[in-house]
Structures are given as structure tokens and as C-alpha cells.
């Protein structure tokens, strides 16, 4: 098994294809033996610190539960609980946490905070969502896709909506695994050019096709997988009205749009979802939706990731 010892996982860029597959294989293995005697000892004596600048349901609960199931311990560190809130530097926080913990997972607004945290940490740092990336989500998405579609190569994935953190890592994840991805985003809300460039560079190795467009119908045409995310991400509340006006009329995933996808296409969403905004209730709660498997898989991939990083 590939070990990831002492790596920081800030985006899918930090993992090569072999490492991604190792995480997914290990996750599948753990999933089949949740809470067996042997898995309850895998991280015995290890502690994970979980720094949260923003709210979370899935990330917090799945990391904390995952550590517990592996025999380890997790400490929730809201930023208001840390001296960070009183002006202690990220550098000194990183140095201090490294003295006590085995790993830090952090959810931050500004990705540069994570880069700083990882630079001054002597223990692995995992991105639990920043304004640029969400690697744990994409690992869970890839596991879910593999479970439903058996392999990656040549699948067509349509991303509909905001070219933001989840989309960014999905572009890289698809490029690395050979999935063709078309991201349909409104003008001005496309993923950053440098991330598209990185993805295209990765795609050369796997033959995957990376397209960014403003046209949702062409993106969904013949898709095996249709994915969206909230139109108003954490930290974007002041843009709520303008975003809803731009996104909902053209970029909502509804049954009309899903008709262009393949008959056996699956629908995915990282959650939390706003029903009847980015996706209609009939789609997210319909037969093509795999959102609950996707959410469950956060637990399994993160347990695998933690084992490979700190065991
Ligand atoms: N998908 C995801 O990261 O959910 P939370 O914001 O609830 O952690
Ligand atoms: N794009 C969303 C993802 C939430 C998991 C956000 O940043 O709020």
C-alpha cells in the first residue's frame, strides 16, 4: 500500500493517480469492515486537530467519527476557541499544534492560511475546504463514481454552476483519473484560468477532455454524471441576490436539463443543498441521485486518508 507519510493534502494536486487509487482502495476496504476489531486499532493513540473558520456538518462529523472508529481522537478547534482569534500568528499556531497532534484538518476562508499552516507544521495538514479547493469531497466523489460506474476512463462528467472550490478540485480529479469534464458556468464565474491550465496538463497523461463553457445543455449532453453545488458558497452571502438572479434561470439542474444526460446518469451534490435553487427537488430526491452514498463516502475516504498519512 502507498503511504502518504508526512504529506500535506491541500488539493488533488498533491496526490498522483496511484495515491488517489490507493486511498479509494483502502476506503473500500475500510467500508466493508466498519468497526471491526482490527480497524478500531489503526489510529490508536493518534490525535487529529480540526480547525474550523466556517461552519460544517459533514466534514466535522465524518472526521471526528472517523478518528473514533479507528481508535484515535479528534479535537474540534473553532477559531474563536484558539488564540488565533486574539492575534496569535498562524505560524506560531502551526508550530504549537505540531507539538501535540498527529495531523491537522482545517477549513478556512482564504487558501493562503492553509498554505501558511502547512508551511510551519511538522505534521500533515488536510484541507477541509478553502476558497480554492475541497480535496476530501472530490475523493469521496471519485469513490462514489467508481462504485456506480466501475471505472473512470472515458466517463463524461458535467459540472453545472459555480466554478469555485469544489469545481476546481473536480477538474483536477477528473483530469488525473481520465474522466472527461465539461464545466458549464456563467460568464465571470468560471474556474480560474490557472486551474484549468493545470487540469489540461494533467489530462494529457490520461487522455481526458477538459472543457469550460457557458452552456449547460451542451455540457450535460451524453453525461454519465451531473454535478452541481450551492450557488451561494460560504462567505458569498453578500452576493446572494445577484448570484441567484444569474444562476437560477439558466444553471439550475432540473429534470428538463437531466433529459440531455444518459439514461443511467447519476446526479451528485457535495451538500448542503438548497432545493429548487441549484437543483430541483425531483432531481436531488429522484432515482438518479446518489447524494447520500456520496456523503457517506466522505467518512470512508477520510479514514483511509488519515491512515495513510499518520499511521
Ligand atoms: N460537503 C461538505 O463539505 O459539507 P459540510 O460543509 O457540511 O462539511
Ligand atoms: N462551495 C461550497 C461547498 C460547501 C461544502 C462552499 O464553499 O460553501
Amino acid at each position: 500500500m502507498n503511504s502518504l507519510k508526512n504529506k500535506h493534502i491541500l488539493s488533488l494536486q498533491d496526490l498522483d493517480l496511484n495515491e488517489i487509487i490507493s486511498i479509494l482502495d483502502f476506503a473500500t476496504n475500510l467500508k466493508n469492515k466498519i468497526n471491526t476489531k482490527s480497524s478500531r486499532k489503526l489510529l490508536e493513540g493518534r490525535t487529529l486537530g480540526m480547525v474550523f473558520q466556517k461552519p460544517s456538518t459533514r466534514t466535522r462529523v465524518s472526521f471526528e467519527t472517523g478518528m473514533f472508529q479507528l481508535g484515535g481522537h479528534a479535537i474540534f478547534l473553532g477559531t474563536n476557541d484558539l488564540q488565533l482569534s486574539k492575534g496569535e500568528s498562524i505560524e506560531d499556531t502551526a508550530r504549537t499544534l505540531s507539538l501535540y497532534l498527529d495531523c491537522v484538518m482545517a477549513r478556512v476562508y482564504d487558501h493562503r492560511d492553509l498554505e501558511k499552516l502547512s508551511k510551519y507544521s511538522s505534521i500533515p495538514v488536510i484541507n477541509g475546504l478553502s476558497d480554492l479547493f475541497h480535496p476530501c469531497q472530490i475523493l469521496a466523489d471519485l469513490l462514489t463514481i467508481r462504485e456506480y460506474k466501475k471505472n473512470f476512463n472515458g466517463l463524461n462528467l458535467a459540472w453545472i454552476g459555480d466554478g469555485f472550490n469544489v469545481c476546481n478540485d473536480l477538474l483536477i480529479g477528473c483530469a488525473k483519473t481520465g474522466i472527461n469534464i465539461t464545466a458549464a458556468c456563467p460568464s465571470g464565474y468560471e474556474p480560474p484560468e490557472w486551474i484549468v491550465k493545470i487540469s489540461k496538463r494533467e489530462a494529457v497523461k490520461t487522455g481526458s477532455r477538459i472543457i469550460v463553457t457557458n452552456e449547460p445543455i451542451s455540457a450535460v449532453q451524453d453525461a454519465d454524471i451531473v454535478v452541481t453545488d450551492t450557488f451561494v458558497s460560504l462567505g458569498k452571502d453578500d452576493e446572494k441576490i445577484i448570484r441567484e438572479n444569474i444562476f437560477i434561470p439558466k444553471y439550475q439542474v432540473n429534470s428538463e436539463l437531466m433529459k440531455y444526460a444518459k439514461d443511467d446518469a447519476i446526479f451528485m451534490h457535495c451538500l448542503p443543498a438548497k432545493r429548487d435553487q441549484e437543483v430541483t427537488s425531483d432531481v436531488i430526491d429522484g432515482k438518479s441521485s446518489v447524494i447520500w452514498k456520496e456523503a457517506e463516502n466522505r467518512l470512508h475516504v477520510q479514514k483511509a486518508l488519515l491512515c495513510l498519512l499518520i499511521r
Side-chain angles (χ1 to χ4, degrees), residues 52 54-62 107 128-129 134 136-137 141 166 229 234 269-272 294-295 298 302:
F52 280 97
K54 338 186 205 184
S56 163
T57 299
R58 281 143 288 270
T59 304
R60 188 217 162 143
V61 179
S62 56
R107 169 168 286 197
L129 180 73
H134 199 0
C136 299
Q137 184 63 52
D141 291 2
V166 177
D229 181 15
L234 292 163
H269 189 310
C270 63
L271 303 176
E294 183 184 3
R298 289 291 302 275
Q302 288 161 195

Side-chain angles (χ1 to χ4, degrees), residues 110-173:
D110 187 338
H111 191 75
R112 285 170 300 188
D113 286 356
L114 264 176
E115 288 174 341
K116 215 183 268 175
L117 193 68
S118 59
K119 184 167 173 203
Y120 292 93
S121 288
S122 57
I123 53 174
V125 173
I126 302 172
N127 180 0
L129 180 73
S130 68
D131 58 342
L132 276 184
F133 298 113
H134 199 0
C136 299
Q137 184 63 52
I138 305 315
L139 289 171
D141 291 2
L142 290 172
L143 181 60
T144 311
I145 290 169
R146 194 173 76 169
E147 286 172 351
Y148 280 90
K149 301 290 174 191
K150 306 302 170 215
N151 52 34
F152 298 125
N153 235 318
L155 291 174
N156 297 324
L157 185 148
W159 170 272
I160 309 296
D162 197 7
F164 195 47
N165 42 20
V166 177
C167 175
N168 293 345
D169 251 340
L170 194 56
L171 280 163
I172 298 170

